[in-house]
Amino acid sequence: MTQQEMLKKMQEISFTLVELNLFLDTHPENTDARAQYNRYAEQLARLRAQYNAAYGPTMNFGLCPAENAWSWIDAPWPWEN
Amino acid sequence: MWIYEKKLQFPINIRRADLQMAKFLFAQYGGPDSELSASQTYLAQRYTMPTPETKALLNDIGTEELAHWEMLGTMIYQLTKDASPEDMRAAGLGDYYATRGKGIFQQSPSGEGWNAGYIQVLDDPIANLVNDMAAEQKARAAYERLMNMTSDPDVIEPLARLRMREIVHFQRFGEALMSLQNACAHIYAKG
Ligand SMILES: [Fe+2]
C-alpha cells in the first residue's frame, strides 16, 4: 500500500467508527453495534501503528510515538494537495 | 480536550481552481447555518443536557462538525491557492483580496463576518434538540444548493458526503429527542 492508499483506508475505517459511535450514543444497549465498533477500533489501531511507523505520527500530544525525528511538522497537512 | 488527527474525515483533492465556487462555499464555512455555527451550538449545548445519551451525542456530533468545518476550509484553500489577484477580482473576490488576501476567514459569501448570533444555546433540552434538527435540515439543503452550482466531481463528492452526514445527524437528534421526551414524560405531562 502507498501512503495515499493507507491514509484512505484509515479514513474509511475512521468514518465507520464515527458512524457506529453516533449510533451507539442513541442505542447504547445494541451489542451488535458495540461488537462492530470494537472490531473496527482494533483494525484502526493496527493500521495507524503501521502508518505511524512508516510515515510519522498522525496525532499530537503524545498519542503517537515520535521515534526517529519530530516528523509531526512534516507535510502533507490535511488541507494540502 | 481535543486531540488533532492529521487527516481529513473524507479525502479532498481539488485539481481545478474555481473562485466563484470558493466564494459560495463560504456559506458553509462561516455563514449562519455553517459547520462552524453547528459545532459551536452543539458543543455549548452539551453542558446542560440532562441525560447521558444527549450529552454524548452533542459532544460527538459537535466534534464531527469541527471536522466538517475543516473540510470546507480545505476546499476553499485548494480552490483559491493558485489564483492571481486579477483572478480574485474577476470572480467577485476583489473586496476579499483587498481585505484579507487569501486568508481563509470565517465569513458568509457576501462578506459578513461569522457571529455568535448564529448559534442557539438554551437550557431547555427539547428546544435545543428541535433547533438542532432544523439546523441539520438547513445544512442538508445548503449542500444541495452548492452541488447544483458546480460540475466538478472533485468538489461534488465531498459535498455529497457532507450532505449525507447531515441526514445521519438529523436521524440521531430525532432519536435523542424521542428518548428525552419519554424520559421526561412525567415533567411535560404536568403542562
Ligand atoms: Fe451536521
Side-chain angles (χ1 to χ4, degrees), chain B residues 90-119:
Chain B
L93 285 165
D95 296 348
Y96 190 93
Y97 183 77
T99 314
R100 321 192 179 279
K102 290 199 259 170
I104 314 291
F105 179 65
Q106 293 88 331
Q107 67 162 44
S108 72
S110 52
E112 297 98 26
W114 184 86
N115 80 73
Y118 296 158
I119 69 180

Side-chain angles (χ1 to χ4, degrees), chain A residues 62-77:
Chain A
L63 272 92
C64 288
E67 273 153 10
N68 301 317
W70 187 245
S71 52
W72 171 250
I73 61 174
D74 293 350
W77 285 89

Side-chain angles (χ1 to χ4, degrees), chain B residues 35 38 42 61 65 68 136 165-166 169:
Chain B
E35 298 292 349
Y42 306 157
I61 296 183
E65 305 293 13
H68 295 170
E136 295 296 333
R165 296 310 295 154
E166 310 305 357
H169 292 173

Side-chain angles (χ1 to χ4, degrees), chain B residues 3-186:
Chain B
I3 301 297
Y4 188 70
E5 204 170 355
K6 212 171 170 182
K7 67 172 179 53
L8 296 174
Q9 190 179 21
F10 297 109
I12 297 177
N13 182 21
I14 301 174
R15 288 159 287 191
R16 203 173 62 85
D18 180 350
L19 295 178
Q20 284 288 345
M21 197 59 205
K23 188 176 182 205
F24 300 146
L25 289 176
F26 276 105
Q28 285 307 93
Y29 180 74
D33 304 318
S34 60
E35 298 292 349
L36 179 58
S37 303
S39 68
Q40 297 311 302
T41 295
Y42 306 157
L43 292 174
Q45 285 179 352
R46 70 194 165 138
Y47 295 108
T48 60
M49 292 308 272
T51 62
E53 288 88 346
T54 50
K55 284 174 215 177
L57 191 66
L58 285 163
N59 183 76
D60 296 343
I61 296 183
T63 300
E64 189 184 354
E65 305 293 13
L66 289 173
H68 295 170
W69 182 64
E70 179 180 46
M71 287 176 65
L72 266 300
T74 297
M75 282 192 267
I76 296 169
Y77 170 71
Q78 293 185 4
L79 286 165
T80 55
K81 72 177 166 34
D82 298 322
S84 68
E86 297 74 43
D87 296 337
M88 297 285 280
R89 190 170 178 175
L93 285 165
D95 296 348
Y96 190 93
Y97 183 77
T99 314
R100 321 192 179 279
K102 290 199 259 170
I104 314 291
F105 179 65
Q106 293 88 331
Q107 67 162 44
S108 72
S110 52
E112 297 98 26
W114 184 86
N115 80 73
Y118 296 158
I119 69 180
Q120 296 295 330
V121 182
L122 298 170
D123 69 352
D124 186 297
I126 303 285
N128 279 344
L129 286 172
V130 172
N131 169 81
D132 301 346
M133 291 175 73
E136 295 296 333
Q137 288 302 327
K138 287 192 273 186
R140 193 257 314 145
Y143 285 118
E144 289 168 6
R145 293 194 300 274
L146 289 168
M147 287 162 71
N148 288 340
M149 287 193 285
T150 175
S151 54
D152 184 349
D154 290 348
V155 178
I156 289 181
E157 197 170 318
L159 293 177
R161 302 289 206 128
L162 290 164
R163 174 186 175 276
M164 185 186 77
R165 296 310 295 154
E166 310 305 357
I167 295 170
V168 172
H169 292 173
F170 177 77
Q171 172 74 25
R172 298 282 95 87
F173 281 137
E175 291 159 359
L177 178 64
M178 267 169 44
S179 76
L180 199 59
Q181 279 169 329
N182 293 337
C184 303
H186 59 290

